[in-house]
Amino acid sequence: MVGSNSSIGQSASFYLTGIPGYENGHHFISIPFCMLYLVGILGNCTILHIIHTDKTLHEPMYYFLAMLSLTDMGISVSTLPTVLKIFWFDAPEIELNACVAQMYFIHTFSLMESSVLLAMAFDRYVAICDPLRYSSKLTPRRILYIGIFIVVRCSVVLPALVTRIPTFSFCHSHVLSHSYCLHQDVIRLACADISFNIVYGLFFIAFCWGVDSLGILFSYAFILHSVLGTASQGGKFKALHTCASHICAVLILYVPMIGLSLVHRFAKHSSPILHITMANIYLLVPPVLNPIIYSIKTKQIRQGFLRLLSAKRVGLDQS
């Protein structure tokens, strides 16, 4: 029985899930999803364009913001094909190798976003706690090294997990819980020994996400200590205001991630819509909200948006 119902290695396929119970309305449901993807991709492309074209923004803070926009776009591009494939063409099947590739990129870009937020927290720490040496500590060369380190660190930890998946036998249901492939969702369908994936996955979460979150926490502990020692109320407000956008970016990444983990851990038998909603919030909301937050809270980015809009308006008037 196991042999007749199992899929091994290259022959396995999975079936992604849209919105259970609303399959007939997938075309209408796709409209808000497309709007979110459009806002996220256009917003992050605009921020990259503003930073690239405005020489006054060639500073450490904006270099890190450009890295954040790139990782947000990577997450959006990684999930977009299968989401649209399900909602537009009612084609939920995905081959194993394509599923593994998507899984790798989703988790890699998610980890990169966490690492970039840690780098941005360090940037804010240096700017507030040691402003006189800000330029000497965060030189363009060091920022480049930080970016390379983030890419290497986040790229090399996952292959040990995902390269084992094509060797597994899948004798349970091949229906996944989301409209894209996630590691924890795929391995629960395997009827092979997945203990390595579980143990290494826990180590991966503790070593990467744990280190990043602790680094961000410690950075803000030092920032708060420094700000509270400032005599001027205006100085305190100004210092904290420079961190507002970054704090929002941290919250919109970590709060949905913690919520999704809690749902997977403590609400396994709850409505599938809850799981799907939390997963979509986790992967869709940060790429959409980050450009909006930085355009509202950061004066230079807001002015860049306004310049682009005014330039387009002038071009339309002249045409």
Side-chain angles (χ1 to χ4, degrees), residues 229-297:
T230 304
S232 150
Q233 290 295 326
K236 292 178 182 179
F237 176 79
K238 184 177 179 181
L240 291 176
H241 182 72
T242 63
C243 301
S245 301
H246 179 256
I247 292 172
C248 291
V250 171
L251 291 176
I252 63 175
L253 175 68
Y254 279 93
V255 171
M257 180 194 71
I258 294 170
L260 181 61
S261 300
L262 291 175
V263 166
H264 275 290
R265 178 66 181 85
F266 298 107
K268 294 179 181 179
H269 304 294
S270 61
S271 170
I273 293 184
L274 176 62
H275 291 259
I276 291 169
T277 301
M278 290 301 300
N280 285 328
I281 289 174
Y282 167 53
L283 291 179
L284 280 177
V285 169
V288 172
L289 288 187
N290 281 335
I292 296 174
I293 290 169
Y294 275 93
S295 64
I296 292 173
K297 301 296 291 183

Side-chain angles (χ1 to χ4, degrees), residues 85-230:
K85 188 174 149 186
I86 291 172
F87 289 132
W88 283 3
F89 306 108
D90 191 27
E93 186 175 2
I94 183 171
E95 294 295 327
L96 175 61
N97 288 338
C99 185
V100 169
Q102 184 184 49
M103 179 194 314
Y104 172 79
F105 285 113
I106 288 175
H107 290 297
T108 297
F109 281 117
S110 296
L111 178 58
M112 282 184 186
E113 181 149 3
S114 175
S115 300
V116 171
L117 289 174
L118 172 60
M120 296 175 82
F122 177 71
D123 169 76
R124 292 298 84 203
Y125 161 74
V126 176
I128 294 172
C129 299
D130 196 7
L132 296 179
R133 294 196 290 173
Y134 180 72
S135 299
S136 61
K137 281 188 173 182
L138 290 173
T139 62
R141 181 183 293 272
R142 286 182 180 171
I143 294 171
L144 177 62
Y145 288 157
I146 290 172
I148 293 173
F149 174 76
I150 289 174
V151 172
V152 172
R153 175 199 184 217
C154 301
S155 302
V156 301
V157 293
L158 281 172
L161 281 179
V162 298
T163 54
R164 289 171 50 85
I165 291 177
T167 67
F168 289 163
S169 297
F170 297 91
C171 54
H172 304 300
S173 168
H174 286 209
V175 179
L176 300 175
S177 304
H178 310 299
S179 49
Y180 33 77
C181 295
L182 298 176
H183 175 260
Q184 62 269 30
D185 201 20
V186 172
I187 62 168
R188 70 180 177 84
L189 303 178
C191 51
D193 181 12
I194 60 171
S195 56
F196 173 81
N197 285 61
I198 293 174
V199 173
Y200 187 86
L202 291 173
F203 168 78
F204 162 77
I205 291 172
F207 179 73
C208 297
W209 289 94
V211 168
D212 290 348
S213 58
L214 284 176
I216 293 170
L217 186 63
F218 283 131
S219 294
Y220 274 100
F222 287 118
I223 288 171
L224 278 175
H225 181 267
S226 176
V227 168
L228 292 176
T230 304

